[in-house]
Amino acid sequence: MATTPATEHPLPDNPRPIATERERRRLRTKLKFATQIGQGIDGYIIGGIGMAMAALTTDLHLSTLMQGLVGASPLIGIFVGGPLFGRLADRFGRRPVFLADMLIFLIGSVLQFFVADGLQLFLIRLLMGVAIGGEYAIGAPLLSEYAPRQGRGRLLASLEISWYIGYALATVVGALFADVDGGWRWSLASSAVIALVCVALRGGVPESARWLLSRGRRAEAEELIEKYGIEIDVTAELEERSEPQREGFRALFSRRHVRSTVFASVFWAALVLPYFAIGTFWTQVFEALHMGDNAVAALLVYAFTAVAGVTAGCLVVDRIGRRRLLIPPFWITAGCLALVAVWPTSTPVIVGGFLFFIFLNAASSALTAVYPLEVFPTSLRTTGVGFATAMSRVGAAIGTFLLPMGLDRFGAEFVLLVGAGVLALGGLVSQFLAPETTDMDLAHAAHEARRPVGGTGRG
């Protein structure tokens, strides 16, 4: 189906305002940074707890159970925030949700400084997890709806670089405050600075033209398309809207969309479960492998290897295609964790296995900001992404909650074998359900996701 440029539509008697090239670049830059910083603060909030956990456990007298709850609280909150904010953004628009979400980050960041016990910290980070879920559901989808077909994968994958940079930065900040009395309060609350900058950037961002088309508001959408030169297949978007379909969460499990729902949820969960669980309790994992003296240095290496991996994924996502970046790394990383589990006394195996796991897992994780946005139509995009986010965090939250108890009862070898099994499951599901959507218009990509894999001969 040919792309219908906005200039082919007849203009009204009063010409619509056309932005200058400088104004167009400014909008694209503002939207990109507003979204990237939002993703970065997600990684910052989740990553910061790793370095702070030991000190706050002592100061707040946390039990093993409460340690697990505090560590998993953002992931539990994502389970609520993803579907909630996703549905709100599909129903009421991208713009208001985009701003409100960041305000929650700002408030929660400040409140962390004043907690008096583990329950308070759990509740505040639970609220911040709701905001993180909202960020996944609205940030990347809004950016994708402004992005051109070519290079969209690299642009969206760059959000994951921001996430890992935020994660690594939180680790550095945590290390700087590690020897300060009550330093964990400052390190956790420091995310307020990032949130404040992001709130300022998000003011004045216009509504998504694709969302306006999905709601039948064609005149408003075409005004935005013409003003900012947005690349959209208007005909395809309108045809998608004209087809009878359910709305809301029920639509995700209709025959039309269930493949996309299962694929997006499973591949995302399989990627993040081992990473979050091991990263949150990295010190305990290394101690269980009798390498506790190197845990802090290893955590820094862990964080920056992940940045290198996701950067590599960002650079190749539009060159090698989505499927090649997703499926082989699943099987390789599963083998890496299994290898460490089988030879837990070999330092070269432990170091090499974890480095390969971190690098390739992070490279594939670039697709968590790409695939879920491409496999759902505009009318269901943020609802679908929000639901997939929630499902991915169910597994991650369970893994993070159970990991310290699993280490105590069954040992590191068992925990690593479970992680390897999760990764293998992700590889198997992706082999059969992952579509190849590289360089497609979003409306065409959503249509491709409904076809059996290999139906077009691509990927």
Side-chain angles (χ1 to χ4, degrees), residues 55-66:
L56 69 87
T57 295
T58 301
D59 286 357
L60 300 179
H61 310 290
L62 301 187
S63 65
T64 302
L65 174 63
M66 187 54 73

Side-chain angles (χ1 to χ4, degrees), residues 137-179:
I138 182 57
L142 177 58
L143 183 60
S144 75
E145 291 172 358
Y146 271 91
R149 289 186 300 110
Q150 294 187 336
R152 184 182 64 234
R154 186 169 62 242
L155 175 63
L156 296 175
S158 71
L159 299 179
E160 287 301 298
I161 297 179
S162 301
W163 192 97
Y164 282 96
I165 289 176
Y167 192 101
L169 181 60
T171 303
V172 172
V173 171
L176 292 175
F177 281 103
D179 296 327

Side-chain angles (χ1 to χ4, degrees), residues 44-62 66-67 70-71 112-113 115 121 125 167-190 279-284 296 299-300:
Y44 193 93
I45 289 167
I46 292 176
I49 199 67
M51 288 297 291
M53 183 64 78
L56 69 87
T57 295
T58 301
D59 286 357
L60 300 179
H61 310 290
L62 301 187
M66 187 54 73
Q67 287 181 56
V70 169
Q112 287 183 107
F113 185 85
V115 295
L121 184 59
R125 291 184 65 81
Y167 192 101
L169 181 60
T171 303
V172 172
V173 171
L176 292 175
F177 281 103
D179 296 327
V180 176
D181 185 31
W184 61 268
R185 295 182 184 273
W186 291 100
S187 64
L188 293 183
S190 61
T280 301
F281 294 100
W282 181 260
T283 301
Q284 291 91 324
V296 174
L299 183 56
L300 291 171

Side-chain angles (χ1 to χ4, degrees), residues 55-216:
L56 69 87
T57 295
T58 301
D59 286 357
L60 300 179
H61 310 290
L62 301 187
S63 65
T64 302
L65 174 63
M66 187 54 73
Q67 287 181 56
L69 287 173
V70 169
S73 54
L75 306 178
I76 300 170
I78 290 172
F79 176 72
V80 177
L84 174 62
F85 279 81
R87 184 69 187 114
L88 290 174
D90 271 340
R91 185 170 182 181
F92 299 109
R94 314 309 198 212
R95 186 172 180 268
V97 178
F98 194 50
L99 182 59
D101 177 64
M102 192 51 56
L103 290 172
I104 297 176
F105 277 123
L106 180 58
I107 295 169
S109 297
V110 173
L111 290 177
Q112 287 183 107
F113 185 85
F114 300 100
V115 295
D117 55 44
L119 179 59
Q120 289 180 7
L121 184 59
F122 166 75
L123 292 175
I124 291 169
R125 291 184 65 81
L126 184 70
L127 177 64
M128 297 177 76
V130 172
I132 293 175
E135 185 64 28
Y136 282 116
I138 182 57
L142 177 58
L143 183 60
S144 75
E145 291 172 358
Y146 271 91
R149 289 186 300 110
Q150 294 187 336
R152 184 182 64 234
R154 186 169 62 242
L155 175 63
L156 296 175
S158 71
L159 299 179
E160 287 301 298
I161 297 179
S162 301
W163 192 97
Y164 282 96
I165 289 176
Y167 192 101
L169 181 60
T171 303
V172 172
V173 171
L176 292 175
F177 281 103
D179 296 327
V180 176
D181 185 31
W184 61 268
R185 295 182 184 273
W186 291 100
S187 64
L188 293 183
S190 61
S191 56
V193 177
I194 306 173
L196 187 61
V197 172
C198 202
V199 167
L201 280 173
R202 293 188 176 191
V205 170
E207 186 53 85
S208 161
R210 288 184 185 271
W211 180 80
L212 292 170
L213 287 171
S214 76
R215 306 302 289 185

